[in-house]
Amino acid sequence: MIIDDFLKFLGHVLAYGGGSAVVAYLLFQYLGKTWIENKFAQRLDQLRHQQALELQKLRVEIDALLSGALKLQEKEFLVLPEAWGKLDEAHGLVAWLVSPMQQYADVDRMNPVQLDEFLAGTEFTESQKDEVRNSHDKGNTYRGIIFWHRLHKVKQAFGNLQCYVAKNGIFLPPELEEKFSKVSDKLWSAVVSKEVGHEAKDWKMQNEGWKKIKEETEPLYKSIKKDIQARLQFHGRKL
């Protein structure tokens, strides 16, 4: 098409008596214009192709970011209830351990048969059961042994909480992870006060554990609950 147009144009020039110099000039001018237009068209096609590639690359990057953000939200959505469950269990058991209002079975009023039946339902070792049976103060002996069983249960729950948060804290918002760390420290402090106070028979120190739960741990516990509820509702709307 371009050759046909050029020959037609050249025919018009020769028809009007254009000399060789004129023909050469017009030929240069025409070909130069055509070359520039062709180069421009080629460059424009290259730019369009490059732009299409850049747009495709950008789409891939955006899709990857959105996919990563969605996966992170899904993971947090799973981690939050589990973390709360472990905190709730640990908090409840610590409060139960350090509470000044403790309930114990009245083993002193049990006859030997009743005592054997009762001890069979406990987690006591056989030596501990014998210790209660043979004690002159069965009630006090029983309360001393049951305390260590309760303490062991509390420490297990506390350990589960710490391990879970340490493993999955990366999926929690930094502020919430920090609150979990603080509440763990306060729970442990209450447990230590109770344990040391029990060994030293220091009721004031034991009561410090209960005071820490009510004055320091409870507000933080409720704040974490509120934060988790808000995060779960947020993710529930997004997912």
Side-chain angles (χ1 to χ4, degrees):
M1 187 68 178
I2 294 176
I3 298 298
D4 291 341
D5 291 341
F6 172 70
L7 292 175
K8 188 183 295 184
F9 169 75
L10 185 58
H12 287 306
V13 172
L14 294 174
Y16 284 101
S20 59
V22 174
V23 172
Y25 171 74
L26 292 175
L27 180 61
F28 173 77
Q29 188 181 47
Y30 181 82
L31 290 177
K33 180 181 178 182
T34 303
W35 182 83
I36 291 173
E37 289 176 348
N38 288 338
K39 285 297 182 182
F40 178 78
Q42 292 175 7
R43 181 57 177 163
L44 186 59
D45 288 341
Q46 290 176 354
L47 289 174
R48 286 173 178 168
H49 180 67
Q50 184 177 359
Q51 184 181 41
L53 292 177
E54 290 295 331
L55 287 174
Q56 182 62 27
K57 181 181 178 182
L58 184 59
R59 290 193 188 99
V60 171
E61 291 177 353
I62 292 174
D63 288 344
L65 288 173
L66 291 176
S67 177
L70 184 59
K71 288 180 180 178
L72 183 59
Q73 288 183 7
E74 290 175 347
K75 184 64 176 180
E76 184 183 350
F77 192 76
L78 295 174
V79 166
L80 285 172
E82 187 71 18
W84 170 254
K86 294 187 180 301
L87 172 60
D88 184 60
E89 181 183 14
H91 175 267
L93 287 174
V94 172
W96 167 61
L97 178 73
V98 303
S99 173
M101 301 297 295
Q102 297 288 326
Q103 293 183 337
Y104 300 98
D106 190 359
V107 295
D108 286 321
R109 293 180 177 274
M110 297 179 184
N111 61 45
V113 176
Q114 291 173 328
L115 182 60
D116 284 341
E117 290 176 348
F118 171 74
L119 291 175
T122 67
E123 297 178 350
F124 287 10
T125 63
E126 289 303 318
S127 61
Q128 289 173 333
K129 293 175 184 178
D130 286 340
E131 189 177 349
V132 175
R133 292 190 190 98
N134 300 325
S135 175
H136 296 295
D137 189 349
K138 292 180 174 58
N140 190 52
T141 302
Y142 166 74
R143 288 189 293 272
I145 295 173
I146 197 66
F147 171 80
W148 296 109
H149 279 271
R150 291 179 178 180
L151 180 63
H152 176 70
K153 189 174 183 178
V154 168
K155 287 184 176 181
Q156 276 189 322
F158 181 80
N160 291 337
L161 169 63
Q162 279 201 313
C163 289
Y164 189 81
V165 173
K167 181 180 179 180
N168 297 281
I170 191 173
F171 301 111
L172 300 177
E175 300 82 2
L176 190 55
E177 184 183 10
E178 183 178 358
K179 286 185 178 181
F180 266 99
S181 178
K182 287 182 179 179
V183 78
S184 294
D185 290 342
K186 293 183 183 301
L187 286 172
W188 183 247
S189 179
V191 171
V192 170
S193 294
K194 181 67 177 182
E195 181 177 3
V196 175
H198 177 82
E199 290 182 323
K201 298 188 183 337
D202 187 335
W203 289 105
K204 183 178 180 180
M205 181 176 290
Q206 293 188 57
N207 288 333
E208 280 296 315
W210 177 247
K211 185 178 179 181
K212 289 175 182 177
I213 287 291
K214 301 305 292 183
E215 295 181 1
E216 300 177 16
T217 308
E218 284 287 350
L220 192 53
Y221 170 83
K222 292 178 180 178
S223 176
I224 292 174
K225 180 180 180 180
K226 184 177 179 181
D227 289 347
I228 290 179
Q229 287 175 332
R231 296 291 299 179
L232 290 176
Q233 291 173 5
F234 172 78
H235 290 318
R237 292 192 297 268
K238 292 290 184 180
L239 297 179

